[in-house]
Amino acid sequence: MQKVMAYERGLEKYNPLKTVVTYDDFDRGFNGWMDLTPNFVNDDYRHHPSEVDLASWAPTMLSAAPMRFAATHGSMEGTYSLKLNTKPVANRYEEKPANGSMGCALKRLSNFDPNLRYVQMETWYAYTPQQDRLGFGEEDLRAFGFYFDLQDTEYRWMPGVRYVNSVNGKLTKKWQYWKVAEGVTKKDWCYGREDGWQRPGIDNLWYGRRFPDGSADAFQWVPDGDQDLLYNESPDKINWLYLRLLVDYQRREYVELQSMDRTFDLRGLTPTLSDPYKSITNLINPIFFVETDTNRSVNLFLDSVVYSTE
Amino acid sequence: MLTFATSVIERRLTIEAAHTTHPYEVGWAGEAVFFVQVEGTHPALSVQAQISPDGLHWVDRGTPTTVAADDEIVALELANFGGWLRLAITGATSEQPARVLVHLALKG
């Protein structure tokens, strides 16, 4: 049998690896992307006790990007994007994240390739705060990013990137990659708790100490990782930007991060390798997130997402 | 085939005063049903749907629904609601709080 492959034209703006596993255009619905929630498996369907309320993040939605004065933006191609957003609440950067101060969306996949070498995530996205007050608004979005939650036959690991846009109202605009600093203890990681299920290297998004310069136990600065991302001149204007993260699954290393027209070489950098968890070998969960820096709801719009492997 | 999605808007939130739910974009949907569940002992609550042009300014839509003290769940149906939806829930106090679980089912 001779196969003829014809890709959808929308893929033209992407650079996928050999196998496009999922191409999610949010004009066609949620495509399996959903809110990140804890496990409701205890008495009365309670989740495990945690120092951070993992059930409080703002709900993800399909958005036409309607703005207060500029009207509807639609998406990069079409009408709808996947909108991650936050509730209008934040703690200072060096404190643990306030309940509701993040938005997280994930898709729950698994590995099917015994020789899997690379995993890659790409998206076209935009970001802006809600236009609920006067001003430019750029400094009110703390961070956004992407990570894979992976478990292979030996380790659970979470390679990811985080754009630190603003720290306590001060524009920072630098990339970090996910890796726990040396010597971080479980007590450091879990806001003083030594018991519990949390382990350093798991759920970096809300664990570990954070410091007023934007550094944190959970994230390390990307070398030469300053980047002045395009934020338009008002909260009611958005532009669509490109992001790509390539990870070497076999070597358990980062390969490269492309953001707009820049590619950061991450070869040789590694995420934290943790002991495996029960029953989740071959887990591949791509996850996007956004964080607010003040008492203001902020938005991350994803026009579309491509997950590819090789 | 229609697109359908259920979102959990409030996940067992304890309220002790008047509360409005997180603004939710619904422009893609033609019909919406809010389900409000109240867990445990609670006072009678009034639940009012609201719509908005921008997610910032809100106006009541339809008539309010009452959750009696011995009710566990109510549903509010909506159509022709524009681009944003939320609920205004009143009746809870610090002396008589209520724990609410709110789903929004959308189809379009």
Side-chain angles (χ1 to χ4, degrees), chain A residues 119-121 145-152 155-162 176-180 201-204 218-219 245-249 252-256 266 269-273 283-287 289:
Chain A
V119 292
Q120 179 174 276
M121 181 56 59
F146 167 79
Y147 66 103
F148 283 110
D149 182 357
L150 303 174
Q151 181 161 307
D152 57 33
Y155 297 105
R156 189 170 183 193
W157 47 299
M158 297 188 178
V161 290
R162 180 179 188 238
Q176 295 173 329
Y177 66 98
W178 287 41
K179 180 186 178 64
V180 181
I202 305 297
D203 290 355
N204 303 35
F219 314 107
L245 178 67
L246 177 61
V247 172
D248 189 324
Y249 187 84
R252 302 189 184 97
E253 286 184 0
Y254 294 96
V255 180
E256 56 189 24
L266 305 181
L269 301 178
T270 54
T272 300
L273 305 181
L283 180 90
I284 296 182
N285 288 351
I287 306 174
F289 60 91

Side-chain angles (χ1 to χ4, degrees), chain A residues 44 46 60 63 83 85, chain B residues 11-12 22 24-25 99:
Chain A
D44 192 31
R46 292 282 156 195
T60 304
S63 173
K83 184 174 88 174
N85 70 132
Chain B
R11 199 169 276 113
R12 292 178 144 177
H22 191 69
Y24 200 88
E25 278 196 54
R99 194 169 73 198

Side-chain angles (χ1 to χ4, degrees), chain A residues 30 37 44-46 55 59-64 66 68 80 83 85-86 130-132, chain B residues 3 5 7-12 22-25 27-28 39 54-57 84 99:
Chain A
F30 282 90
T37 50
D44 192 31
Y45 299 97
R46 292 282 156 195
T60 304
M61 52 194 93
L62 294 176
S63 173
R68 182 173 179 176
Y80 299 109
K83 184 174 88 174
N85 70 132
T86 74
Q130 189 179 51
Q131 194 168 24
D132 61 350
Chain B
T3 296
S7 184
V8 181
I9 308 296
E10 301 289 2
R11 199 169 276 113
R12 292 178 144 177
H22 191 69
Y24 200 88
E25 278 196 54
W28 61 270
E39 300 180 333
D54 53 13
L56 298 165
H57 302 89
W84 295 86
R99 194 169 73 198

Side-chain angles (χ1 to χ4, degrees), chain B residues 33-96:
Chain B
V33 181
F34 272 110
F35 294 94
V36 180
Q37 297 180 67
V38 191
E39 300 180 333
T41 303
H42 62 86
L45 302 175
S46 177
V47 182
Q48 172 69 59
Q50 297 184 323
I51 62 173
S52 170
D54 53 13
L56 298 165
H57 302 89
W58 296 90
V59 58
D60 289 349
R61 190 69 163 180
T63 54
T65 298
T66 299
V67 188
D70 57 355
D71 282 346
E72 294 182 353
I73 183 169
V74 296
L76 285 82
E77 301 173 15
L78 290 148
N80 300 323
F81 39 72
W84 295 86
L85 279 177
R86 74 173 186 183
L87 294 179
I89 305 173
T90 55
T93 64
S94 54
E95 291 78 30
Q96 289 189 295

Side-chain angles (χ1 to χ4, degrees), chain A residues 75-303:
Chain A
S75 58
M76 182 175 172
E77 285 196 272
T79 302
Y80 299 109
S81 58
L82 185 74
K83 184 174 88 174
L84 287 70
N85 70 132
T86 74
K87 294 175 184 174
V89 58
N91 289 336
R92 282 186 61 81
Y93 187 92
E94 55 272 28
E95 297 172 6
K96 68 182 175 185
N99 297 342
S101 63
M102 295 186 182
C104 312
L106 84 162
K107 186 159 176 149
R108 301 185 182 280
L109 305 173
S110 65
N111 177 32
F112 56 88
D113 181 354
N115 301 308
L116 180 63
R117 177 69 196 271
Y118 295 109
V119 292
Q120 179 174 276
M121 181 56 59
E122 297 171 87
T123 188
W124 283 90
Y125 71 97
Y127 62 94
T128 195
Q130 189 179 51
Q131 194 168 24
D132 61 350
R133 64 198 73 179
L134 290 174
F136 199 56
E138 183 180 17
E139 66 286 351
D140 290 337
L141 188 146
R142 177 174 293 171
F144 65 84
F146 167 79
Y147 66 103
F148 283 110
D149 182 357
L150 303 174
Q151 181 161 307
D152 57 33
T153 54
E154 294 181 80
Y155 297 105
R156 189 170 183 193
W157 47 299
M158 297 188 178
V161 290
R162 180 179 188 238
Y163 184 71
V164 183
N165 183 63
S166 184
V167 176
N168 296 327
K170 183 182 176 192
L171 285 177
T172 303
K173 306 191 87 162
K174 288 184 197 173
W175 286 100
Q176 295 173 329
Y177 66 98
W178 287 41
K179 180 186 178 64
V180 181
E182 293 297 322
V184 171
T185 65
K186 196 166 178 179
K187 189 175 175 182
D188 299 330
W189 192 249
C190 302
Y191 301 100
R193 284 182 74 140
E194 295 189 71
D195 60 341
W197 52 270
Q198 302 94 337
R199 303 178 195 173
I202 305 297
D203 290 355
N204 303 35
L205 195 46
W206 37 70
Y207 290 124
R209 295 166 299 183
R210 287 115 201 277
F211 306 103
D213 67 348
S215 62
D217 285 342
F219 314 107
Q220 310 307 314
W221 296 111
V222 167
D224 193 27
D226 297 68
Q227 188 177 26
D228 187 23
L229 281 186
L230 195 171
Y231 174 86
N232 211 316
E233 299 163 318
S234 162
D236 65 350
K237 295 178 180 173
I238 55 174
N239 288 67
W240 298 95
L241 314 180
Y242 177 69
L243 180 71
R244 176 175 66 90
L245 178 67
L246 177 61
V247 172
D248 189 324
Y249 187 84
Q250 285 185 8
R251 295 171 64 96
R252 302 189 184 97
E253 286 184 0
Y254 294 96
V255 180
E256 56 189 24
L257 161 67
Q258 182 177 353
S259 171
M260 299 179 64
D261 57 344
R262 285 190 64 190
T263 298
F264 301 90
D265 186 354
L266 305 181
R267 288 173 181 81
L269 301 178
T270 54
T272 300
L273 305 181
S274 302
D275 292 337
Y277 282 46
K278 187 183 171 203
S279 304
I280 59 168
T281 297
N282 282 319
L283 180 90
I284 296 182
N285 288 351
I287 306 174
F288 288 92
F289 60 91
V290 65
E291 309 171 41
T292 183
D293 197 52
T294 188
N295 61 343
R296 186 172 194 180
S297 182
V298 300
N299 305 306
L300 178 71
F301 305 90
L302 307 179
D303 167 80

